[in-house]
Amino acid sequence: MAEQLDEEEEQIIDFAIQRSLQDSGLPLCTKWSTMETSSNDNQMILAAIDQGDMATLKALHGQRKAFTETDRRGWLPFHRASVQPNAEILETVLLALHELSMEEVTADGETALTLATQAGLLENVKMLLQHGASPHNTNSKNESPLQLAVKVNSYDMVLELILGGAFVEQVCLKKWTATHEAAKVGCADILMLLLRHGGKVTARDGHGVTPLGIAAEYGHADILEILIENGGDVTAQATNGDTVLYDATGSGNLDCILLLLRHGANPNVPSFAFQLPIHRAAYEGHYLALKTLIPITTKKAIRESGMSPVHSAADGGHAICLNYLIEKGFDVNSLLGDHISSNYSDMRKTALYFAVCNGDVTCAEMLLEAGAKPDLDPLLCLLVAVRASHYELVRLLLAHGANVNCFFTAISNTMFPTALQYCLHDEIMFRLLLNNGYHVESCFQCEHNFCIQTESYTTTDDTCSYFNKVTFCDFISVRWLKHLAGWLVRILLDYVVHVPICPKLQKILQMQNEWPEICDILRNPRHLKHLCRLVIRKRISLRRLNNPRFMSEFPFPPALKNYLIYKEYNLYGQMEI
């Protein structure tokens, strides 16, 4: 996470620098003008630098102007020479032009010294310092040569720059010091060198993170120990409240975690986002870190954070950590605190919701088997799974008691259960809901009194219940759904005896190809076995009907059980086979 933020921050910094230079009207390259077409002498110089041709370079010493021409990148010949492995080439180029200040920059804001340092060329760095290059001048990201030398993990270059006068505590745009960089790289020798020359273990970057936090984040236990021995504060918190122990937990390095705990780090201190180290361990899937933190993290700290590590493990999709938390007795039905839940637009509450949103069948099944309730969130897990067309999650949720006839009225208050709205184009999902007890009759209830095909009437009491609710006939009559009406109604009729078709719905159906078949079904008696199936299904609760274990033990012949559960219409089951 920190690496991703650093990359994003670097991109923003680069963009800001470019815009700043453009707005101020300053050139993006050196003070030397770029030639539209480089001279022949310049081309010969560049070729000689690339080929390591000393004789040609010496022969061209008199062509001073050619040594001041820049290429399209804004590089002078001495910039190109600074990244060549032969230091004699660089020296030859430098002797050819005494007008150079040694601090000319490329279009990208790099000096010759920063280029040589990034290339890891020690002799070139020495040569540039001897010719007066400043160890303090930075590149466009405000990175000093010393920081760049640490980044490439070169002890000798770091020493050479320090002896050349480099300031150890010089910061870049992110207020990152060479000590921070050494903690990230993980080189103990470089770190000790920096500390001997004034590096501070308490220095904070732009996010308030100390070198201790960086070493912990990147899992360098040896660096961490050196910093602690030199006065590093294990209780330090960054600007966002992240502790050093929280950073160490993110790396998953158990040695770092144990070292910090031995020196007094507190696992019960949350970040300003109410995150504890145990949450980080569960989210990142660091099993050993989680095992270490569970016994020393208090229930009070977890409760006050407003979030269970079960939520974190489910959100991170780490089944091993989730299973361990369940074994240790953590409540799978723990709800997010309001201050956490309000950060999500769907106001989610449960760990199961995280698993369903992630499409994580393994974690969802684990939670359900451990007793997770599927109906505790404002937006029910079943509706999320239906909308995502995740058949296996829908099957799992229904098998563990999810209410197929649930309503979500925040968007539209319908007479029929909400799930149907999310699968109008998906017969597999549509059948899956219907087979598991969707209340089909509610799709044929409306305020239109006279029903032509069945010659049935609705009462005044029925009409009152439709007030301010969207009926199926109104819902399906919109222009972009009309073409689905015949197909939907035909499927719905497989799950009812006789239903009233109101004038409004009939008018739509008459324009559909399925209308003749619908008329035939409505005007003729239904098969006896179909009627018996509906009667028996009404005698069995939905929870039992949708439970495969219960149905497998039901004292009916297999053929009859298959007929009761509409196996002939189980398109998802057929697809699995």
Side-chain angles (χ1 to χ4, degrees):
M1 180 64 75
E3 289 181 350
Q4 183 179 352
L5 289 174
D6 286 345
E7 290 176 5
E8 292 176 355
E9 196 169 74
E10 286 180 4
Q11 292 174 3
I12 294 172
I13 290 171
D14 286 342
F15 177 74
I17 291 168
Q18 296 289 333
R19 288 300 300 271
S20 176
L21 290 171
Q22 291 170 4
D23 292 344
S24 64
L26 295 175
L28 294 179
C29 53
T30 69
K31 68 180 183 181
W32 304 94
S33 60
T34 303
M35 306 289 288
E36 290 184 6
T37 304
S38 58
S39 65
N40 290 333
D41 288 339
N42 179 258
Q43 291 179 16
M44 290 175 65
I45 290 171
L46 296 181
I49 291 172
D50 293 339
Q51 296 166 12
D53 187 349
M54 294 281 293
T56 301
L57 285 174
K58 289 179 179 179
L60 291 167
H61 264 207
Q63 305 300 322
R64 298 295 179 88
K65 186 176 180 181
F67 280 92
T68 66
E69 296 176 23
T70 58
D71 61 17
R72 292 181 180 178
R73 296 180 297 172
W75 286 39
L76 288 161
F78 95 110
H79 286 124
R80 184 174 295 207
S82 69
V83 295
Q84 298 301 319
N86 188 347
E88 292 182 4
I89 295 292
L90 175 60
E91 184 178 22
T92 303
V93 173
L94 292 175
L95 292 174
L97 186 60
H98 299 290
E99 291 89 346
L100 287 175
S101 70
M102 302 299 296
E103 308 308 328
E104 286 78 9
V105 296
T106 68
D108 293 328
E110 300 287 348
T111 67
L113 185 56
T114 60
L115 288 171
T117 305
Q118 290 176 83
L121 300 173
L122 175 61
E123 294 304 318
N124 286 6
V125 169
K126 289 181 179 180
M127 183 69 62
L128 289 165
L129 289 171
Q130 289 170 8
H131 282 76
S134 171
H136 308 302
N137 285 349
T138 60
N139 61 15
S140 60
K141 298 176 184 176
N142 212 33
E143 295 172 316
S144 68
L146 181 62
Q147 288 173 318
L148 296 171
V150 176
K151 185 179 288 188
V152 298
N153 201 7
S154 173
Y155 179 91
D156 292 333
M157 265 200 296
V158 171
L159 178 59
E160 196 66 34
L161 287 163
I162 290 175
L163 294 177
F167 178 44
V168 173
E169 284 302 294
Q170 187 170 351
V171 298
C172 65
L173 290 177
K174 299 185 296 181
K175 298 190 180 300
W176 187 276
T177 67
T179 310
H180 283 94
E181 192 63 53
K184 177 182 177 180
V185 171
C187 181
D189 291 337
I190 291 178
L191 177 63
M192 292 299 296
L193 178 62
L194 292 171
L195 293 178
R196 285 197 300 270
H197 288 85
K200 295 180 181 178
V201 297
T202 57
R204 292 179 179 270
D205 67 8
H207 299 292
V209 181
T210 64
L212 204 67
I214 300 299
E217 181 181 352
Y218 287 92
H220 300 308
D222 55 337
I223 300 298
L224 206 56
E225 189 164 12
I226 292 171
L227 291 168
I228 292 172
E229 290 173 353
N230 284 272
D233 182 9
V234 298
T235 65
Q237 289 181 268
T239 306
N240 62 0
D242 289 356
T243 63
V244 178
L245 181 59
Y246 183 85
D247 291 330
T249 307
S251 74
N253 188 305
L254 193 59
D255 291 335
C256 289
I257 294 170
L258 294 174
L259 178 64
L260 290 168
L261 291 172
R262 283 200 302 271
H263 284 85
N266 187 350
N268 297 303
V269 177
S271 69
F272 296 154
F274 306 98
Q275 291 281 300
L276 294 165
I278 194 173
H279 293 125
R280 185 79 181 272
Y283 179 78
E284 300 288 355
H286 298 314
Y287 179 73
L288 294 178
L290 184 64
K291 286 185 70 174
T292 302
L293 291 167
I294 285 176
I296 58 176
T297 305
T298 65
K299 292 182 179 178
K300 179 183 178 184
I302 294 174
R303 184 174 64 254
E304 290 179 348
S305 74
M307 184 176 189
S308 167
V310 175
H311 289 101
S312 303
D315 189 18
H318 298 292
I320 295 176
C321 290
L322 181 59
N323 185 59
Y324 186 73
L325 289 164
I326 293 171
E327 288 177 354
K328 287 297 179 180
F330 282 83
D331 184 9
V332 295
N333 288 310
S334 176
L335 302 181
L336 289 178
D338 290 341
H339 60 288
I340 302 293
S341 182
S342 61
N343 292 324
Y344 297 93
S345 58
D346 50 27
M347 295 296 290
R348 61 186 64 183
K349 289 287 186 179
T350 66
L352 180 61
Y353 193 96
F354 281 99
V356 171
C357 277
N358 294 338
D360 189 339
V361 175
T362 303
C363 286
E365 185 171 17
M366 192 175 290
L367 289 164
L368 289 166
E369 290 292 337
K373 299 176 182 178
D375 299 330
L376 298 179
D377 295 276
L379 176 57
L380 301 182
C381 292
L382 179 67
L383 298 181
V384 175
V386 172
R387 191 168 185 176
S389 298
H390 206 305
Y391 308 119
E392 183 59 20
L393 278 176
V394 171
R395 186 195 66 77
L396 268 175
L397 290 165
L398 291 172
H400 287 84
N403 182 12
V404 70
N405 292 313
C406 59
F407 288 87
F408 184 65
T409 58
I411 297 177
S412 61
N413 190 9
T414 58
M415 279 293 298
F416 52 96
T418 305
L420 180 144
Q421 300 177 47
Y422 300 140
C423 59
L424 296 174
H425 298 83
D426 187 347
E427 185 177 358
I428 297 175
M429 185 66 75
F430 196 34
R431 290 282 190 183
L432 187 56
L433 296 175
L434 296 174
N435 294 348
N436 283 275
Y438 185 88
H439 188 208
V440 178
E441 288 81 359
S442 63
C443 295
F444 299 99
Q445 296 173 349
C446 67
E447 74 279 10
H448 307 114
N449 292 333
F450 186 63
C451 304
I452 297 176
Q453 288 301 318
T454 59
E455 298 184 354
S456 62
Y457 296 83
T458 57
T459 65
T460 305
D461 293 337
D462 293 329
T463 304
C464 294
S465 65
Y466 309 139
F467 184 69
N468 286 337
K469 290 189 176 183
V470 179
T471 59
F472 180 76
C473 56
D474 288 332
F475 176 80
I476 205 67
S477 65
V478 295
R479 177 175 49 82
W480 56 90
L481 292 178
K482 277 184 179 182
H483 66 285
L484 297 173
W487 175 74
L488 292 171
V489 170
R490 173 59 194 88
I491 292 176
L492 290 171
L493 292 179
D494 290 333
Y495 299 86
V496 292
V497 184
H498 273 291
V499 288
I501 304 294
C502 76
K504 185 170 186 176
L505 182 57
Q506 179 179 339
K507 185 176 179 180
I508 298 170
L509 292 174
Q510 285 174 339
M511 296 183 291
Q512 309 286 319
N513 294 332
E514 295 83 0
W515 177 240
E517 187 179 0
I518 291 172
C519 287
D520 185 62
I521 293 173
L522 291 173
R523 289 170 176 167
N524 294 295
R526 307 302 297 268
H527 291 293
L528 181 59
K529 66 176 184 179
H530 173 70
L531 298 176
C532 291
R533 169 163 60 184
L534 295 177
V535 171
I536 295 173
R537 282 173 65 91
K538 285 184 178 179
R539 297 293 188 273
I540 306 174
S541 68
L542 282 181
R543 195 174 190 88
R544 290 183 173 182
L545 187 66
N546 298 338
N547 189 330
R549 293 177 185 173
F550 174 80
M551 292 304 293
S552 65
E553 298 171 359
F554 207 64
F556 281 165
L560 180 55
K561 283 192 284 189
N562 290 339
Y563 187 70
L564 284 176
I565 62 175
Y566 282 99
K567 191 167 184 178
E568 72 272 28
Y569 293 139
N570 183 10
L571 303 184
Y572 175 56
Q574 295 170 17
M575 184 174 66
E576 284 185 314
I577 295 173

